[in-house]
């Protein structure tokens, strides 16, 4: 509606329910300040003004009215109480979808033999933390789910006083990440005889899944995991891998590290142990180091494509390849290629093939 001052020239304006027309009537002026009483139509608003006053729209015309039956009006049509029976629609805020709540559970046992065999689906990353594992194995294949097999076996003979016997394996799935943790608090006081504890964890999983494995004691073996992030760490134990590719990070405190058919970016470290790699192709970088141990690498890369830096404080460095043969003590730096290969040991020999 056009509410400019020239819409009506009358002294009294009546706004009816039907606003398709504005009805005007002129009344007799009784004095300078008052207008004569004039009956108005039903549901009308009576506005008194002087001729010079500007007519402002009633606020009710712009107030949303909530009613049971709602419908949208054309853009240019006003909202009229009692006629349109509508309210002005408002846009509701977009509420982000909540992530799924974590799924968790656990298995507990105080028996001498404890076994678990189960399957998890919808997993894109596996994170495992163990304490006293004799062996943890990870095998990739063309499957879509993750299979977990846990085996605990305790044997004893003689006069045994069992001080504490408690084992637990727990899991949680959150945002497609499977968290597995095993705890073994079994302890024995042997008066006469012997006791032996064996604990193993085996995972069968998709070959392109992300893997993060950590143990305190025990060996770890990984095989057939491709184009993924692979992190394996143990404080006391050996690490062996075969047919793996991606971003490879292998670390041991006390133990050897062995690789076969590895492809990608490689970081390998051990404090006390040897490092060996067969048929290793470095994509962008390889950093390998040990404090006390030998390093032996069979590189598929051409030496001309690499920047090779090998160093030992106490030992010899040998390069035996068809494209390069040399030996030295201390340090050898060769090439200026885009692939960076750094091998270092404090006490040990380095052999590059």
């Amino acid at each position: 509606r056009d509410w400019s001052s020239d819409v009506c020239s009358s002294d009294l304006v009546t706004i009816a329910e039907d606003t398709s027309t504005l009805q005007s009537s002129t009344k007799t002026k009784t004095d300078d300040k008052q207008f004569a009483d004039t009956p108005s139509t039903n549901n009308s608003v009576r506005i008194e003004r002087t001729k010079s006053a500007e007519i402002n729209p009633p606020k009710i015309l712009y107030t949303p009215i909530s009613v049971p039956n709602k419908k949208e009006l054309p853009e240019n049509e006003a909202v009229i109480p009692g006629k349109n029976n509508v309210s002005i629609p408002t846009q509701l805020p977009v509420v982000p979808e909540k992530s799924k709540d974590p799924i968790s559970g656990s298995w507990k046992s105080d028996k001498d033999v404890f076994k678990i065999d189960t399957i998890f689906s919808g997993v894109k990353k596996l994170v495992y933390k163990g304490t006293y594992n004799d062996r943890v194995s990870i095998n990739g294949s063309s499957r879509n789910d993750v299979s977990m097999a846990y085996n605990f076996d305790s044997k004893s003979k003689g006069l045994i006083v069992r001080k504490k016997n408690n084992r637990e394996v727990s899991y949680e799935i959150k945002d497609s990440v499977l968290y597995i943790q095993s705890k073994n608090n079994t302890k024995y006081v042997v008066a006469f005889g012997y006791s032996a504890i064996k604990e193993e964890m085996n995972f069968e999983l998709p070959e392109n899944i992300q893997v993060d494995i950590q143990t305190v004691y025990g060996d770890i073996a990984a095989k057939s995991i491709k184009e993924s992030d692979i992190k394996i760490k143990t404080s006391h134990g050996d690490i062996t891998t075969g047919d793996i590719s991606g971003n490879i990070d292998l670390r041991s405190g006390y133990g050897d590290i062995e690789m076969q058919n590895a492809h990608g970016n490689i970081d390998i470290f051990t404090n006390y142990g040897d490092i060996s790699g067969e048929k290793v192709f470095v994509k962008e970088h390889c950093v390998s180091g040990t404090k006390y141990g030998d390093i032996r690498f069979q590189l598929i890369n051409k030496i001309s494509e690499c920047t090779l830096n090998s160093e030992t404080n106490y030992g010899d460095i040998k390069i035996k390849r068809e494209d390069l043969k040399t030996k030295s003590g201390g340090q050898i730096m060769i090439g200026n290629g885009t692939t960076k290969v750094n091998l270092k040991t404090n006490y040990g020999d380095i052999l590059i093939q």
Side-chain angles (χ1 to χ4, degrees), residues 97-114:
E97 184 180 355
K98 288 185 177 181
S99 59
K100 295 183 179 180
D101 294 334
I103 302 173
S104 60
S106 63
W107 298 268
K108 297 180 181 180
S109 176
D110 58 357
K111 306 298 182 182
D112 291 337
V113 178
F114 181 31

Side-chain angles (χ1 to χ4, degrees), residues 286-306:
C286 172
V287 180
S288 177
T290 177
K291 290 182 178 180
Y292 299 90
D294 300 331
I295 299 177
R296 181 177 62 85
F297 256 76
Q298 181 186 19
L299 287 175
I300 299 177
N301 302 73
K302 295 179 179 180
I303 293 295
S304 59
E305 300 173 348
C306 301

